Amino acid sequence: MRTCPSSSLRAHREAYSLFQRRSTESYYKRSLPLFRLQATLIRKLSSTVSTSAPFFASSAVQHQNGDRLQHAHTVTALYTARELITRILPPQSPGSSFWVDVLRETSDEVCRSNLVSKEHKAATIVFYPVNEFSGGDALVGALLQDPFYREEENARISSRWEGREQDTRLDIEYAPTLIDDVQGDSEGVHPSSSHPLRVSSSFLASLPFPVRLIELRPTRELSEDHLRLLYTAHIPIILLNPLTTPLTMLSPHTSSNEKATVLPYPLPPNTLLLITSPSTISTSSSVPPSVFELGISPDRVLFVDPARALSSIHALRSNPSDARYIQQYSDGALGSGLSALRRQLQTIPTSTQKGDALLSAAVGVLRISLDSAEEELREASSLVRTLRSEAARSEEDARRAMFGPAQEMEVLYDHSPSQQLPSGMTKAGKATAGGNGNKVQAAMTRAGETVLPVLDNLTWWRVLWAPDEVGWRMRQAVRDAWVGCITSGLLPALASLPSKQTTLLTSTLSRSAALPQSLRSHVLLNALNQLAHAPSFTVEPRALLVPLERRLARLDKGSTTALAHGAQVLLLRVAGSLGAGVGTGALMLAHGAGEAVGAGLFVVAMGVRWAIGRWDKVRKGWRADWGRVKEAAERDVQAALDQALEKQVSIIPMQAAEGIQNIVVTRKDEITQLRREVDKLDAVIINSANRKYDLFTQDKLCTE
């Protein structure tokens, strides 16, 4: 539920109520006959010294200056409110054009009010029954009818809507006699909304200004014209039945669902709220608590019984001389709230007072709009957190699919013998994860099980028979390990990356495009679309294994080539050792056959042993290089995966989150500044009400 601060509403209600009471006193003071006022002034002047004359003259001048100052403050505040409306409300929204037009019309009326004499001033009272169960027809009829008037006049008031079935409003004006309106009807003029109904009602005659009473047909949704008519009235009157229309559904102040409210904007303080109730004897303590959130003073809320008010008039009209019916009429007028309503309507706000009331309602609209904008900022901030969390969750799922859960967790423990470690914790302070799901390690382990047995089978006596096949066998073993173990084990874990990327892309673009108009950035959407259509954006799972493939290619060019060369060298060394043994034996043959054979065999044995040692060293070198490839495989895949997640999979949601966050920060600063200006306008309205109270106090002293 969005509501204005209670202190601001309370200040507006107190200032408006005090201003209403003082304006009533001032009106009755000014309504004294001219000759009585002159006699009073003559008596006061004759009883005072001559030096008091400048005091009255200066007081009159100060009062005129005060009226002009009051007028200037109201017009300035209305202009400021219009400027804030255009800056805070969306430009294309109905509320923006509505309030700009209403405030401009009221400002023009306030400017013209000082140029119009009191006799020519006219006021507007708009009566709006929310639905047909409110009793609006009966209440307006009871308000206008008089039991002592002619029967045909009361009949015209009762049947005022006849012939106007297509009209949605009825304008009622006061006419001293019935001649003009009856003559118009006799000439065949069809009643319409442009043809007001003129009645000689004692209620309209008793009002201080000429008044046009506009009665609207009961409807839940007002048109734009009728809504503007209601808010620009000097006294808007709203009649509702709480059984069919709860008070919480009347204004956005008391409802969290703005679309379900009867009125789309807050009520101005000059509104009269009439609640249909069979028991109308009420005090301020019986006013529902939800009324205080509407921005209306409790003394502007009346409980009425339209049916009782109208029946009491009919009863007295049937027998006006019977004391019993007279008492019934008196009790009905008091008990139905009709008398209280007539007393309230005797005080009609001036154009300046109406401008102040509309300013209070406009401030409420501005605060509601700012609250809505802040709610949009909170939703946008929540969207930023959602995008980042979804991107982080996708990255975590991709890493878990490839490397499994965290293998070990650093834990600081006191290594005292008395402290027991949790299950699964080693004495080194690390928790080992059971069931390791590291796909890279598992694939490289299976690859080693394919490659290393081939290397182990390359013994020196087998290599001597086929030295040219060593390089081919090792390359074929590595290729089998790459196809059968590494790619088949890693590609399934990487196959989900394109789908994750597509999901994140679709959700991010749709959510970014669904942001409110004030937070939607076409520049950001264009940048996201450019990233999505870039050639480097598409994720190819096989491309993530390119670093590992390059490392195996370097193993092939380096260690495998050296191993093939070592096989060739092994054959040469063994052959050379045999030749050296034969030569040595031939040289030692002169010393004896036994010595020659022994020397030859010794040289052959030493040469072969040396050749075998060199071959084993080459094989150990290849095994060591394979171990380094196995250890570096996880780092290579992890680096490639991290880069793909950052630059391809998660780049769209992360860029969108960063762009939206920047927009939120900028918009938040703007809303803070606008809220300061609205608070300043609110303070100006309250100070203006206090200033008007001082002027009326001074006016009272001058009149007395």
Side-chain angles (χ1 to χ4, degrees):
M1 183 182 297
R2 304 187 187 96
T3 60
C4 294
S6 58
S7 60
S8 176
L9 292 176
R10 193 179 301 110
H12 283 299
R13 288 198 299 266
E14 294 176 355
Y16 187 82
S17 301
L18 182 60
F19 186 55
Q20 287 287 95
R21 293 195 295 270
R22 293 305 178 186
S23 62
T24 304
E25 296 176 3
S26 175
Y27 166 73
Y28 284 112
K29 290 297 182 180
R30 295 181 179 182
S31 298
L32 292 174
L34 182 59
F35 69 91
R36 292 185 58 188
L37 180 59
Q38 292 175 350
T40 303
L41 292 176
I42 292 174
R43 286 196 301 270
K44 289 188 177 183
L45 287 173
S46 62
S47 62
T48 57
V49 294
S50 59
T51 56
S52 62
F55 169 76
F56 286 100
S58 62
S59 298
V61 173
Q62 291 176 3
H63 177 63
Q64 294 177 359
N65 293 335
D67 287 340
R68 295 173 183 173
L69 185 62
Q70 166 187 339
H71 164 83
H73 276 288
T74 303
V75 173
T76 303
L78 288 171
Y79 177 80
T80 304
R82 288 205 313 270
E83 293 297 320
L84 289 176
I85 287 289
T86 57
R87 293 169 56 190
I88 294 178
L89 271 65
Q92 305 299 330
S93 65
S96 177
S97 59
F98 173 83
W99 279 103
V100 168
D101 295 341
V102 166
L103 295 177
R104 182 185 294 110
E105 179 181 344
T106 305
S107 178
D108 296 340
E109 181 181 347
V110 172
C111 293
R112 293 192 303 265
S113 62
N114 290 342
L115 304 177
V116 181
S117 61
K118 178 181 177 180
E119 291 75 9
H120 295 85
K121 289 182 178 179
T124 304
I125 299 177
V126 178
F127 190 86
Y128 169 50
V130 175
N131 52 35
E132 61 273 11
F133 303 104
S134 304
D137 185 77
L139 185 60
V140 174
L143 192 65
L144 296 177
Q145 292 184 28
D146 195 309
F148 303 104
Y149 268 29
R150 291 176 300 177
E151 187 65 27
E152 58 269 18
E153 181 69 17
N154 290 328
R156 289 181 66 250
I157 295 175
S158 299
S159 60
R160 60 190 181 275
W161 282 101
E162 292 184 2
R164 304 173 185 263
E165 288 77 9
Q166 303 299 327
D167 296 339
T168 57
R169 56 177 282 188
L170 174 61
D171 295 6
I172 304 174
E173 295 179 352
Y174 172 73
T177 62
L178 192 61
I179 298 176
D180 297 336
D181 202 62
V182 172
Q183 182 179 0
D185 293 340
S186 63
E187 294 176 356
V189 178
H190 184 73
S192 64
S193 58
S194 61
H195 182 67
L197 177 68
R198 296 181 177 87
V199 296
S200 55
S201 171
S202 60
F203 162 71
L204 295 178
S206 66
L207 297 177
F209 298 128
V211 170
R212 169 172 285 201
L213 176 62
I214 301 177
E215 182 183 2
L216 302 178
R217 279 194 183 274
T219 178
R220 181 61 183 269
E221 295 182 0
L222 288 175
S223 64
E224 186 74 17
D225 295 336
H226 289 174
L227 193 64
R228 183 181 292 106
L229 190 66
L230 179 66
Y231 275 79
T232 55
H234 290 78
I235 301 181
I237 301 177
I238 298 176
L239 176 64
L240 59 85
N241 190 335
L243 297 179
T244 58
T245 306
L247 286 173
T248 54
M249 305 303 294
L250 186 60
S251 173
H253 274 316
T254 55
S255 176
S256 58
N257 187 6
E258 297 182 4
K259 297 182 179 180
T261 57
V262 177
L263 299 174
Y265 313 116
L267 296 174
N270 61 335
T271 303
L272 275 178
L273 179 60
L274 308 182
I275 301 176
T276 302
S277 174
S279 177
T280 60
I281 305 299
S282 62
T283 60
S284 59
S285 60
S286 62
V287 176
S290 56
V291 172
F292 294 94
E293 300 178 359
L294 293 174
I296 304 176
S297 177
D299 58 357
R300 308 277 303 174
V301 180
L302 302 178
F303 293 87
V304 295
D305 190 351
R308 183 179 179 184
L310 189 60
S311 63
S312 63
I313 294 177
H314 291 168
L316 181 60
R317 189 191 307 163
S318 63
N319 194 350
S321 60
D322 192 341
R324 182 167 57 90
Y325 288 106
I326 295 175
Q327 184 62 38
Q328 181 181 353
Y329 170 74
S330 177
D331 294 341
L334 292 175
S336 64
L338 185 62
S339 298
L341 176 59
R342 286 177 172 174
R343 285 195 303 270
Q344 282 284 351
L345 294 178
Q346 289 298 323
T347 304
I348 298 180
T350 63
S351 298
T352 305
Q353 296 174 12
K354 185 181 77 171
D356 293 339
L358 282 176
L359 281 173
S360 301
V363 168
V365 171
L366 293 174
R367 292 192 185 279
I368 290 177
S369 181
L370 290 177
D371 293 340
S372 177
E374 290 181 347
E375 180 66 24
E376 291 176 354
L377 291 184
R378 287 190 287 270
E379 293 177 359
S381 299
S382 177
L383 175 59
V384 170
R385 292 190 295 269
T386 301
L387 292 176
R388 289 175 175 171
S389 63
E390 288 181 354
R393 190 181 305 112
S394 298
E395 293 179 1
E396 182 181 357
D397 293 342
R399 292 189 178 95
R400 185 182 296 110
M402 178 61 66
F403 303 106
Q407 294 186 8
E408 53 186 22
M409 179 178 59
E410 297 289 342
V411 183
L412 297 177
Y413 275 99
D414 183 11
H415 297 288
S416 58
S418 61
Q419 186 176 11
Q420 296 181 356
L421 298 178
S423 59
M425 295 293 299
T426 63
K427 292 184 178 181
K430 297 183 180 180
T432 60
N436 182 18
N438 195 318
K439 301 294 189 302
V440 180
Q441 292 182 357
M444 295 306 296
T445 300
R446 291 196 302 272
E449 294 174 355
T450 301
V451 173
L452 295 180
V454 176
L455 180 65
D456 294 337
N457 288 332
L458 295 178
T459 56
W460 66 273
W461 62 85
R462 290 175 178 165
V463 172
L464 291 177
W465 296 103
D468 296 333
E469 297 180 0
V470 171
W472 176 83
R473 289 181 180 179
M474 292 307 303
R475 290 186 178 91
Q476 185 62 37
V478 172
R479 282 194 295 270
D480 294 342
W482 170 258
V483 175
C485 301
I486 299 178
T487 57
S488 62
L490 300 184
L491 286 180
L494 298 174
S496 61
L497 291 181
S499 63
K500 293 180 184 294
Q501 184 188 39
T502 304
T503 302
L504 291 176
L505 173 64
T506 304
S507 63
T508 301
L509 292 180
S510 61
R511 292 174 178 175
S512 300
L515 285 173
Q517 186 66 32
S518 58
L519 300 177
R520 194 182 311 157
S521 174
H522 295 286
V523 176
L524 177 61
L525 292 176
N526 187 26
L528 295 179
N529 285 310
Q530 288 182 357
L531 288 175
H533 291 85
S536 59
F537 178 73
T538 305
V539 178
E540 296 182 1
R542 185 173 293 275
L544 302 181
L545 302 180
V546 171
L548 182 57
E549 188 175 5
R550 291 174 180 173
R551 192 174 292 274
L552 292 177
R554 288 195 296 269
L555 177 66
D556 177 69
K557 293 180 180 180
S559 299
T560 305
T561 302
L563 186 66
H565 180 71
Q568 300 288 340
V569 173
L570 173 63
L571 179 59
L572 294 177
R573 287 172 178 169
V574 170
S577 299
L578 292 176
V582 172
T584 303
L587 293 175
M588 295 296 295
L589 187 60
H591 298 283
E595 290 80 355
V597 173
L601 293 176
F602 177 76
V603 171
V604 170
M606 292 297 297
V608 172
R609 178 59 183 158
W610 173 75
I612 294 173
R614 299 297 296 179
W615 169 247
D616 290 339
K617 186 176 181 180
V618 173
R619 285 202 309 165
K620 290 180 180 179
W622 196 97
R623 186 185 295 271
D625 290 341
W626 174 259
R628 286 190 287 270
V629 169
K630 182 179 178 181
E631 293 176 358
E634 185 173 357
R635 295 195 303 269
D636 293 340
V637 175
Q638 184 173 2
L641 180 61
D642 291 342
Q643 185 176 5
L645 292 175
E646 180 182 357
K647 301 297 183 181
Q648 294 173 306
V649 177
S650 302
I651 186 171
I652 295 295
M654 296 305 293
Q655 290 290 336
E658 183 179 358
I660 296 174
Q661 183 64 33
N662 294 334
I663 296 174
V664 167
V665 172
T666 304
R667 181 62 176 164
K668 188 175 182 180
D669 295 338
E670 295 176 357
I671 292 177
T672 303
Q673 179 62 28
L674 290 173
R675 191 172 288 278
R676 292 196 191 100
E677 297 184 18
V678 172
D679 294 339
K680 184 178 179 180
L681 176 62
D682 197 5
V684 168
I685 297 173
I686 297 176
N687 293 335
S688 178
N690 296 333
R691 188 181 298 106
K692 293 169 188 174
Y693 166 72
D694 296 338
L695 291 175
F696 275 102
T697 304
Q698 183 179 358
D699 178 52
K700 179 181 177 181
L701 294 175
C702 293
T703 306
E704 295 177 354

